[in-house]
Amino acid sequence: MYLSIYLFTILTIYYLISATNDESNDRPISEFKINDEWVALPEVFSILDFSANSSFPSDDDIEGQQQLRSSRYWGRIYIPGWPQTIQYYRAHFGTRDPPIGLTRLIFPNPRTGCSSFENIDRYQDLTKNLSYVVVVDRGICTFGSKAKIAAEVDWLSGVIVINNEPGLDHLPGPDAHDVDISVISIPQLEGTQLTNYLFTYSSTYSSESDSFIDAYIVPINCDKKQSICLPATVVERDYISLLAEGGIIQTKSTYPTIEFLLSKFGVKLPSGSLSLAIAKPIDACTNLTNIPSLTNKVVLVKRGNCSFYDKAMNIQQAKGAAIILANDKEYITRMGVDPRLKGLEIDIPVVMVTKRSYSYLAAEFYLNNNISFITSIDVSATSWFDIEKLYDPISEWPRSEAFITKKYHEMKLIHSQSPNKLLAIEEAYNLKLKTLNIKPDSNSVRSEL
């Protein structure tokens, strides 16, 4: 046995020496095999510099901002109307930065991106100033192969790879290190949700359906303390500040404005005229008794008795098109799901309206009138959060009655153009007076509407 081990060791050493010295062996050791082809590994293995300076340049230092942007190895994808951002990691290869400005994300055929794309030119819109990126599934071929195939289309700026397992990677591409295209990856759950939206939900409910969606791909920089994380450039901070978090529900009948806020889970709202339905039971917490009447409808649901996730999942399983959830107060907020990843199971939109707005929408249902959603930056989560805080009668109001009344009138003046907010301010004010055993002023907001 010892003799066999000795001979094996000698032969192995001899083979390695021969392989190194043999001039006829033209395959370097630093090669790897793709199918039947041996490809040399590059000398440089990553374009990423994780130690690069992360200090924010001044707002007028455009060149410094661009350098910072180029060095960032992760970021977020912002889709107008989409309830949450999608985190991405930049790959170890691909010499081009993610495109700046509005970018069309194309979901091509074949989905793997392992062969030339079919009819790809139809996605170009020469009337708009857009960049273009293809979104492909992981698998079948190497990341480098996907990038090189995308680079064959001269008007494409990048490729996004949807991971096929939880988590994110900085994708390697030793077979395409210098490919002139941007390469990033996004998580499996977010990618799957986006794909389902485009090929199932949007094709059913949107008049603008197609296998693409427009977005901003934004590199994010965190300061050294990791306490502030912002887009690397001022112009991209401006882009995302103009993305709507809510909007207005248009009705056939005349009511005070009905404001809504998007939830932090689900998908983009459908466009066009939409039919209403009311869940039975109204809280949608238990088995629904009117499932056939909910199919393809925007379903009215009341808050309470179970989680937002449970309500959304029950309506989704009943094939509802969207949920309008009525708060039990006169304010609205952006609903969330804990843990966040659980919310990625919801493939329909969810919005919140006030208690009073629900009564208007219920009337529209009984009148058999349709509604439509109009997103607007004028309806923001920040301004509504300021209203919500007033419902804390201890910390958000002054102590004396005179200053309480003064703040009440100041808030009414600030939000005088929003009937929804005026009702919320009145409700919060009356709750505060109740804690002080003070009778509310008879000159209520309702008389002003």
Side-chain angles (χ1 to χ4, degrees):
M1 183 180 70
Y2 292 110
L3 180 61
S4 299
I5 294 174
Y6 175 77
L7 290 174
F8 176 79
T9 303
I10 294 298
L11 288 172
T12 301
I13 294 173
Y14 174 78
Y15 172 78
L16 290 173
I17 293 173
S18 299
T20 303
N21 295 331
D22 186 1
E23 295 180 359
S24 65
N25 184 358
D26 58 358
R27 179 176 66 82
I29 296 176
S30 59
E31 286 192 351
F32 71 105
K33 196 173 186 180
I34 302 178
N35 299 323
D36 295 327
E37 180 184 1
W38 287 98
V39 180
L41 288 167
E43 294 182 4
V44 180
F45 291 95
S46 179
I47 63 167
L48 305 178
D49 181 3
F50 297 101
S51 63
N53 182 19
S54 61
S55 299
F56 282 100
S58 62
D59 287 356
D60 59 355
D61 183 1
I62 306 302
E63 183 179 353
Q65 293 173 36
Q66 187 56 50
Q67 290 174 352
L68 180 66
R69 186 182 193 273
S70 297
S71 70
R72 295 306 86 194
Y73 42 84
W74 75 281
R76 299 187 181 110
I77 298 175
Y78 294 82
I79 301 173
W82 201 257
Q84 64 278 326
T85 61
I86 300 174
Q87 188 176 12
Y88 74 81
Y89 277 6
R90 194 167 176 180
H92 285 292
F93 69 105
T95 59
R96 198 180 298 189
D97 297 336
I100 192 167
L102 196 61
T103 300
R104 179 150 294 174
L105 310 186
I106 301 168
F107 288 66
N109 189 29
R111 291 292 311 119
T112 59
C114 291
S115 58
S116 297
F117 304 122
E118 299 175 9
N119 201 20
I120 189 73
D121 288 338
R122 73 184 183 90
Y123 293 105
Q124 263 193 305
D125 186 347
L126 300 179
T127 66
K128 296 180 179 180
N129 184 22
L130 295 171
S131 298
Y132 299 88
V133 167
V134 287
V135 184
V136 299
D137 296 331
R138 181 174 180 171
I140 307 299
C141 63
T142 68
F143 305 125
S145 296
K146 297 175 191 291
K148 287 190 286 188
I149 289 170
E152 292 174 359
V153 183
D154 58 7
W155 50 268
L156 285 177
S157 298
V159 57
I160 299 174
V161 179
I162 300 175
N163 205 359
N164 59 1
E165 57 188 20
L168 269 177
D169 300 309
H170 295 287
L171 304 178
D175 54 327
H177 184 75
D178 294 325
V179 65
D180 184 26
I181 204 164
S182 170
V183 185
I184 64 177
S185 64
I186 62 175
Q188 179 186 36
L189 293 178
E190 285 88 339
T192 300
Q193 184 187 50
L194 193 54
T195 303
N196 290 343
Y197 168 80
L198 286 174
F199 290 98
T200 303
Y201 187 90
S202 181
S203 62
T204 303
Y205 299 113
S206 176
S207 60
E208 302 173 351
S209 62
D210 208 336
S211 48
F212 68 83
I213 194 166
D214 294 340
Y216 297 96
I217 304 174
V218 181
I220 299 295
N221 180 60
C222 299
D223 63 7
K224 293 180 180 179
K225 296 181 179 179
Q226 300 290 306
S227 58
I228 300 176
C229 293
L230 295 171
T233 65
V234 171
V235 67
E236 286 173 306
R237 291 172 217 163
D238 291 341
Y239 288 153
I240 65 175
S241 71
L242 298 176
L243 298 179
E245 301 172 305
I248 304 298
I249 297 177
Q250 289 191 335
T251 60
K252 185 176 181 180
S253 304
T254 302
Y255 302 110
T257 303
I258 299 175
E259 298 184 20
F260 71 85
L261 282 177
L262 296 166
S263 67
K264 295 180 180 179
F265 61 96
V267 299
K268 190 175 180 178
L269 284 164
S271 60
S273 181
L274 303 157
S275 300
L276 289 168
I278 296 179
K280 294 182 180 179
I282 190 61
D283 60 12
C285 289
T286 54
N287 292 334
L288 296 164
T289 60
N290 62 332
I291 289 178
S293 66
L294 305 181
T295 302
N296 298 338
K297 304 289 182 61
V298 177
V299 184
L300 300 175
V301 176
K302 284 190 174 181
R303 184 173 187 171
N305 301 325
C306 65
S307 69
F308 300 134
Y309 170 85
D310 289 339
K311 296 174 188 291
M313 183 56 72
N314 287 339
I315 299 301
Q316 177 172 299
Q317 291 175 345
K319 301 187 184 305
I323 297 173
I324 297 177
L325 190 141
N327 201 2
D328 52 7
K329 301 286 193 301
E330 292 298 347
Y331 70 83
I332 53 178
T333 186
R334 293 198 68 189
M335 300 166 280
V337 169
D338 188 23
R340 185 191 69 85
L341 291 179
K342 194 174 182 180
L344 297 174
E345 299 172 14
I346 304 302
D347 290 326
I348 60 174
V350 184
V351 304
M352 179 178 281
V353 298
T354 67
K355 181 173 60 177
R356 175 65 64 89
S357 295
Y358 171 84
S359 65
Y360 300 149
L361 293 170
E364 290 298 277
F365 162 72
Y366 288 113
L367 291 170
N368 200 30
N369 289 336
N370 286 4
I371 63 155
S372 58
F373 295 100
I374 308 297
T375 56
S376 170
I377 61 172
D378 294 330
V379 182
S380 72
T382 301
S383 64
W384 268 108
F385 182 63
D386 291 339
I387 303 296
E388 180 184 354
K389 289 189 294 184
L390 296 177
Y391 282 75
D392 182 348
I394 305 300
S395 62
E396 293 301 322
W397 291 93
R399 293 186 178 183
S400 72
E401 181 180 349
F403 282 101
I404 290 171
T405 302
K406 181 175 182 291
K407 179 167 183 174
Y408 165 60
H409 288 292
E410 288 174 346
M411 294 295 289
K412 284 171 56 182
L413 183 62
I414 292 171
H415 300 288
S416 60
Q417 301 303 309
S418 171
N420 290 170
K421 291 188 177 74
L422 289 176
L423 277 177
I425 292 166
E426 179 198 7
E427 184 176 59
Y429 173 65
N430 289 340
L431 288 172
K432 175 59 180 178
L433 295 184
K434 188 175 181 180
T435 65
L436 301 176
N437 294 319
I438 300 173
K439 185 178 180 180
D441 189 344
S442 60
N443 183 23
S444 70
V445 173
R446 289 190 179 89
S447 65
E448 301 170 12
L449 298 180

